[in-house]
């Protein structure tokens, strides 16, 4: 059987994939409770739901990566006997996960060709293959000859998506593919999806962003607590509010910070003459209680400066905190000791420790400062854990469960809880609500807002313009390592921000 075998379907049969009464339990946790769903051929089908609703579990089952407790998958009208990764890839179903499966010491083009090897006279036609791969990479901004290990996070993600498409997938599942992409990258990905859709490829698309679902999807299904809560075959007739209501089961109240003007206050932190690769900052002061947004294109300096302040990025410069001048911290330990906390956007690398419990993860960074005579103060630990487990609304039976058992968005809540638990004087968060559902996103912005009201200075590094508009007092737009424009008050709008970033 070739991957393009139609398996006997007829053109009138427009359902390519039927999910039939699928249930999945992890011990006592019912992740899916009998979900029945039809995916129509040649459509882009959105999958929405709160953190922990069961989206990743469902597409894990469809792609053969997770075994359902009960139920069946029907492809082109035929129930599948075996549902494992190999069988599903043969049937043309590919899951593009968040974790790029990429071989670092092969080129970008070679990575695309992994496992496909088209054959002529029993031999791999390398030349044709290389040409095809190069054509597919054309316009992606990725050099076909570049070693994959040298590519940045965004390029690796794109490469991962391209590979599923190149592998002849007829149903391609994207689990939060846009998380690390810029506006321009996103546009490019969507154009690419539309092109493939016109050729008959079917997509299942998971996202927490209503605007993305409204822009790209034909149909949408919403999971709530492991069950199908609703959906629509005509997404274009829906509004963002209706989508949120389907996801949450209630209306959504969007958070908006009451912006404040901090001009003239004695700064909590001052930076002068910060130099490094992609960094040429002349001056920046942040007042106590102020929330400043950092944004810009990749490599423009926003991320680099944030990491440099936490000692994670090599740079030289002067830093003054509460009147005391020091250099930039040499490493994160020094930064933490100085009262600086940091949430990385790379939660896989700097994020939660999967095998440890949720509670241990929350207490991880604040414990050393709470230790007494070298012993961990258990009572203090328990207090911190229960406070942030509750405040972040982590969806789990209890803080003693391993972080590995949490959904993606809930792992992020744990990371954020851990950073907040350090009681910082300066809090730096990089993409704090990426991967977090619309309801919890408002909660996270509220928590940061409340923290700032206690006098903590906050830097939010974000490419989410909506988040910047709702959460900050001032936005620094970076270009060539320095602040190229500062927006305050009424000037902080989605349009102004987009224009300034691209300018
Ligand atoms: N390996 C596992 N062991 C135990 N429980 C798990 C495991 N994987 C997932 N779960 C649980 O199953 C439920 C559904 O998780 P899933 O990852 O499917 O959610 P999701 O909708 O993808 O959420 P998110 O938007 O946060 O990614 C959650 O309650 C989660 O804690
Ligand atoms: Mg998920």
């Amino acid at each position: 059987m070739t991957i393009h075998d139609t398996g006997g379907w007829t053109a009138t049969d427009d359902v390519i994939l039927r999910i039939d009464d699928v249930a999945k339990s992890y011990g006592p946790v019912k992740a899916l409770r009998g979900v029945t769903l039809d995916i129509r051929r040649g459509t882009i089908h959105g999958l929405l739901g709160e953190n922990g609703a069961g989206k990743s579990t469902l597409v894990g089952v469809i792609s053969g990566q997770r075994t359902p407790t009960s139920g069946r998958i029907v492809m082109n009208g035929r129930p599948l006997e075996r549902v494992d990764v190999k069988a599903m890839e043969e049937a043309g179903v590919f899951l593009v996960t968040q974790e790029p499966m990429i071989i670092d010491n092969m080129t970008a083009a070679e990575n695309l060709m992994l496992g496909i090897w088209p054959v002529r006279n029993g031999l791999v036609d390398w030349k044709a293959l290389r040409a095809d791969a190069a054509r597919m990479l054309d316009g992606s901004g990725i050099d076909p000859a570049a070693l994959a290990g040298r590519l940045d996070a965004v390029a690796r993600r794109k490469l991962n998506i391209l590979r599923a498409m190149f592998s002849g997938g007829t149903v391609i599942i994207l689990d939060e593919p846009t998380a690390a992409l810029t506006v321009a990258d996103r546009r490019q990905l969507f154009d690419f999806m539309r092109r493939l859709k016109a050729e008959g490829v079917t997509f299942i698309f998971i996202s927490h962003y209503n605007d993305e679902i409204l822009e790209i999807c034909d149909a949408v299904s919403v999971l709530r607590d492991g069950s199908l809560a609703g959906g629509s075959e005509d997404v274009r007739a829906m509004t963002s509010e209706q989508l949120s209501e389907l996801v949450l089961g209630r209306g959504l109240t969007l958070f908006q910070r009451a912006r404040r003007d901090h001009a003239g206050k004695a700064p909590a932190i001052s930076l002068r003459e910060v130099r490094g690769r992609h960094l040429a900052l002349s001056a920046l002061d942040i007042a106590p209680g102020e929330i400043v947004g950092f944004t810009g294109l990749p490599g423009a300096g926003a991320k680099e400066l944030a990491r440099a302040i936490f000692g994670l990025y090599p740079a030289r410069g002067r830093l003054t905190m509460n009147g005391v001048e020091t250099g930039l911290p040499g490493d994160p330990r020094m930064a933490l000791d100085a009262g600086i906390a940091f949430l990385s956007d790379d939660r896989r690398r700097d994020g939660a420790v999967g095998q440890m419990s949720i509670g241990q993860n929350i207490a991880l960074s604040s414990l050393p400062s709470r230790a007494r005579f070298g012993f961990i103060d258990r009572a203090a630990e328990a207090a911190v854990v229960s406070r942030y487990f509750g405040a972040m609304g982590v969806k789990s039976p209890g803080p003693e469960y391993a972080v590995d058992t949490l959904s993606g968005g809930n792992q992020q809540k744990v990371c954020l809880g851990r950073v907040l638990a350090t009681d910082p004087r300066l809090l730096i968060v990089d993409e704090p609500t990426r991967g977090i559902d619309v309801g919890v996103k408002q909660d996270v912005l509220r928590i940061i807002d409340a923290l700032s009201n206690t006098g903590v200075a906050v830097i939010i590094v974000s490419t989410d313009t909506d988040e910047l508009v709702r959460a900050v007092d001032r936005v620094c737009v970076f270009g060539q390592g320095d602040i190229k424009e500062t927006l305050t008050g009424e000037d902080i709008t989605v349009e102004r921000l987009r224009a300034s970033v691209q300018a």
Side-chain angles (χ1 to χ4, degrees):
M1 178 172 135
T2 73
I3 52 176
H4 293 294
D5 186 351
T6 56
W9 62 276
T10 62
T12 54
D13 179 10
D14 69 343
V15 174
I16 187 166
L17 186 72
R18 168 162 296 163
I19 297 148
D20 187 12
D21 201 19
V22 165
K24 170 77 179 172
S25 297
Y26 300 100
V29 177
K30 288 191 166 62
L32 296 172
R33 309 164 188 261
V35 172
T36 298
L37 187 64
D38 282 349
I39 308 290
R40 294 188 192 284
R41 191 180 310 283
T43 61
I44 301 181
H45 196 114
L47 199 53
L48 270 174
E50 288 180 270
N51 295 130
K55 303 177 297 296
S56 294
T57 304
L58 184 64
V59 297
V61 167
I62 301 170
S63 61
Q65 314 218 343
R66 307 192 197 197
T67 318
T69 312
S70 63
R72 20 170 240 172
I73 305 292
V74 181
M75 186 105 188
N76 293 314
R78 283 203 316 218
L80 296 175
E81 275 163 33
R82 248 176 351 116
V83 184
D84 54 35
V85 175
K86 191 161 174 291
M88 294 316 291
E89 289 196 352
E90 274 173 12
V93 180
F94 282 83
L95 171 64
V96 178
T97 53
Q98 302 236 245
E99 188 117 39
M101 307 272 276
I102 281 169
I103 305 204
D104 285 349
N105 57 11
M106 290 173 82
T107 67
E110 284 164 352
N111 262 285
L112 280 192
M113 305 185 294
L114 280 176
I116 332 164
W117 327 130
V119 162
R120 201 204 301 163
N121 306 328
L123 292 169
V124 175
D125 186 351
W126 288 103
K127 221 174 130 202
L129 198 53
R130 244 177 250 283
D132 281 351
R135 207 171 317 122
M136 180 155 263
L137 287 167
D138 195 35
S140 70
I142 302 173
D143 173 6
L147 274 187
R150 296 256 168 80
L151 298 173
D152 64 20
V154 174
R156 289 164 71 84
R157 187 171 298 251
K158 283 204 260 184
L159 194 57
N160 216 29
I161 295 166
L162 288 167
R163 186 166 65 204
M165 299 178 172
F166 197 64
S167 308
T170 54
V171 177
I172 294 176
I173 307 166
L174 305 173
D175 193 348
E176 298 189 44
T178 59
L181 301 188
T182 63
V183 175
D185 287 331
R186 202 166 299 192
R187 179 139 318 130
Q188 201 189 322
L189 171 65
F190 286 175
D191 285 344
F192 199 53
M193 286 171 71
R194 289 195 190 96
R195 228 165 67 211
L196 281 155
K197 180 183 128 175
E199 291 170 20
V201 173
T202 306
F203 287 94
I204 300 176
F205 179 80
I206 300 180
S207 171
H208 287 293
Y209 295 103
N210 288 354
D211 54 343
E212 292 184 354
I213 299 276
L214 291 171
E215 180 182 343
I216 192 85
C217 293
D218 304 295
V220 67
S221 298
V222 176
L223 288 178
R224 202 185 301 150
D225 225 357
S227 300
L228 200 64
S232 167
E233 289 287 330
D234 184 13
V235 174
R236 280 167 193 93
M238 295 187 79
T239 64
S240 181
E241 291 71 32
Q242 286 170 323
L243 277 179
S244 295
E245 209 162 320
L246 262 182
V247 169
L248 299 170
R250 59 182 156 81
L252 173 70
T253 322
L254 290 173
F255 171 78
Q256 175 63 57
R257 174 169 169 90
R259 284 187 204 124
R260 275 173 292 160
D261 185 358
H262 300 269
K265 279 196 210 164
I269 174 170
S270 296
L271 292 157
R272 293 289 180 274
E273 305 302 330
V274 179
R275 302 269 180 271
R277 207 165 89 86
H278 298 305
L279 268 182
L281 178 88
S282 37
L284 174 66
D285 292 331
I286 303 174
E290 184 177 22
I291 304 186
V292 179
F294 280 14
T295 194
L297 294 172
K303 252 183 212 313
E304 291 79 3
L305 182 60
R307 297 184 81 87
I309 301 171
F310 192 64
L312 276 174
Y313 186 84
R316 283 166 291 109
R318 297 197 334 255
L319 179 150
T320 308
M321 262 185 101
N322 301 316
V324 183
E325 187 183 322
T326 56
L328 287 165
D331 59 53
R333 189 73 255 166
M334 285 167 72
L336 276 169
D337 288 343
I340 303 172
F342 179 76
L343 174 74
S344 165
D345 74 328
D346 192 348
R347 253 82 71 167
R348 240 161 259 283
R349 206 157 56 189
D350 317 326
V353 185
Q355 297 79 21
M356 282 167 63
S357 76
I358 296 164
Q360 285 169 325
N361 267 283
I362 289 176
L364 200 61
S365 302
S366 51
L367 270 190
S369 54
R370 285 175 213 280
R372 258 194 265 150
F373 312 115
F375 291 99
I376 289 168
D377 181 342
R378 292 289 166 203
E381 179 182 356
V384 164
V385 168
S386 84
R387 172 153 173 230
Y388 287 97
F389 184 77
M392 304 308 299
V394 180
K395 191 172 177 264
S396 167
E400 66 281 9
Y401 280 74
V403 160
D404 270 344
T405 66
L406 294 177
S407 75
N410 280 291
Q411 295 192 9
Q412 273 170 240
K413 294 184 209 168
V414 170
C415 293
L416 187 55
R418 173 169 79 200
V419 168
L420 296 179
T422 61
D423 281 336
R425 283 187 294 166
L426 171 66
L427 172 69
I428 308 171
V429 286
D430 194 352
E431 304 288 353
T433 65
R434 176 188 291 166
I436 287 183
D437 69 55
V438 284
V440 176
K441 176 174 177 176
Q442 313 308 314
D443 295 339
V444 168
L445 298 184
R446 252 178 226 117
I447 289 171
I448 295 174
D449 181 71
L451 197 71
S452 82
N453 292 337
T454 67
V456 177
V458 181
I459 296 171
I460 300 181
V461 187
S462 182
T463 49
D464 179 345
T465 42
D466 171 70
E467 172 169 295
L468 290 170
V469 169
R470 297 190 180 286
V472 307
D473 297 317
R474 168 164 60 127
V475 183
C476 299
V477 182
F478 283 76
Q480 297 183 332
D482 202 356
I483 298 165
K484 65 172 179 179
E485 190 177 6
T486 299
L487 299 176
T488 53
E490 303 284 285
D491 287 338
I492 308 177
T493 63
V494 169
E495 296 72 33
R496 285 289 307 266
L497 276 169
R498 293 226 168 114
S500 180
V501 167
Q502 298 297 334

